[in-house]
Amino acid sequence: MNVLWLFAHPDPHSLGGALRDEGLATLRALGHDVRESDLYAMKWNPVVEEIAAVPADVRAEQAKLTWADAVVFQFPLWWYGTPAMLKGWFDRVFVKGYAYDVRSEDGRTLRYGEGALAGKRALVVVTTGSPAPALGPRGVNGPLPDLLFGLQHGTLFYTGMSVLPPFAVYDADRMTPCAFAAAVSGLRSRLRDLACTEPLPFRHQNGGDYGRDLVLRPEVAPGRSGLDAHLG
């Protein structure tokens, strides 16, 4: 596979940097072709300044995306979301006509399971200082799938990507050598299965579950509401 690794962490010598290095080495050892976008090392400009023209740095990132069969998005969880650098990458790269406002020949809007990036796999690799239970169903921080819903469903799946279950490393600021070894082992396992892991079962917009108002039909997931209802 062609794999793009998107890395958004300011310190290459951090836990995130060590995991990135292990991940890239694993992919190459498995025979994948790998390219990388290290946003801080690239001094990526996250601010949307262009309106009509697509600048060279954005075209270069779009070319990597077009080339890739799978994309790994790695970042630390900051204030319940992505670093601003990564958010700005999406703002500038996932532009109209490339990642959204894409239509089929019959005029249908292609999004939520369809679109320009359909057929590509996406894996979120996230590190967090929180212990795992605090990001669980009854944890004070809220469930991690809910915190990642905007990224995984509203950005990646929206543009057509098949989104794999995320890989999370908890207690990042209290990492022991044993815990690091376990994290590396888990990441390697996920990367070995990159091509065959079942994606999250998000419902396709044009798959029949939603009405013309883009609301789930009454007979779909009765009694369920909120984010979980959009999982089949």
Side-chain angles (χ1 to χ4, degrees):
M1 299 175 71
N2 295 335
V3 183
L4 172 61
W5 195 293
L6 198 72
F7 182 64
H9 197 294
D11 184 1
H13 305 295
S14 63
L15 168 65
L19 290 171
R20 182 267 314 267
D21 294 344
E22 293 285 351
L24 292 174
T26 297
L27 289 171
R28 291 184 173 116
L30 290 169
H32 299 296
D33 289 329
V34 182
R35 297 181 184 176
E36 184 183 1
S37 288
D38 183 338
L39 299 186
Y40 281 88
M42 294 162 57
K43 300 187 185 304
W44 174 261
N45 174 20
V47 179
V48 176
E49 298 172 322
E50 59 279 344
I51 299 298
V54 180
D57 59 344
V58 172
R59 291 198 304 271
E61 295 303 292
Q62 290 175 345
K64 292 178 189 177
L65 274 173
T66 300
W67 166 87
D69 301 308
V71 185
V72 178
F73 298 91
Q74 185 194 353
F75 58 92
L77 191 68
W78 286 355
W79 293 111
Y80 295 88
T82 66
M85 187 76 80
L86 180 54
K87 177 59 166 63
W89 184 89
F90 284 114
D91 290 345
R92 296 188 63 220
V93 175
F94 278 31
V95 294
K96 183 176 182 178
Y98 179 77
Y100 76 95
D101 198 28
V102 177
R103 298 181 182 275
S104 65
E105 292 183 358
D106 61 5
R108 288 184 306 118
T109 300
L110 300 178
R111 58 190 176 194
Y112 291 118
E114 301 176 314
L117 302 185
K120 300 180 186 298
R121 314 199 114 214
L123 171 64
V124 169
V125 174
V126 61
T127 52
T128 172
S130 172
L135 282 166
R138 290 173 56 84
V140 68
N141 295 322
L144 184 63
D146 289 2
L147 301 185
L148 296 177
F149 187 85
L151 170 62
Q152 295 192 137
H153 181 268
T155 302
L156 304 178
F157 185 67
Y158 183 98
T159 58
M161 302 184 83
S162 297
V163 184
L164 309 185
F167 178 78
V169 177
Y170 302 94
D171 287 314
D173 54 352
R174 295 175 292 277
M175 185 65 56
T176 65
C178 182
F180 176 71
V184 170
S185 176
L187 180 60
R188 287 173 176 163
S189 178
R190 290 298 306 277
L191 294 176
R192 282 194 295 270
D193 295 336
L194 188 62
C196 59
T197 299
E198 283 293 319
L200 295 170
F202 290 131
R203 301 180 189 277
H204 288 227
Q205 174 183 307
N206 296 320
D209 287 345
Y210 298 91
R212 294 178 62 85
D213 57 359
L214 301 183
V215 175
L216 287 170
R217 298 182 185 277
E219 68 274 15
V220 176
R224 291 167 58 190
S225 61
L227 306 184
D228 181 63
H230 301 288
L231 287 166

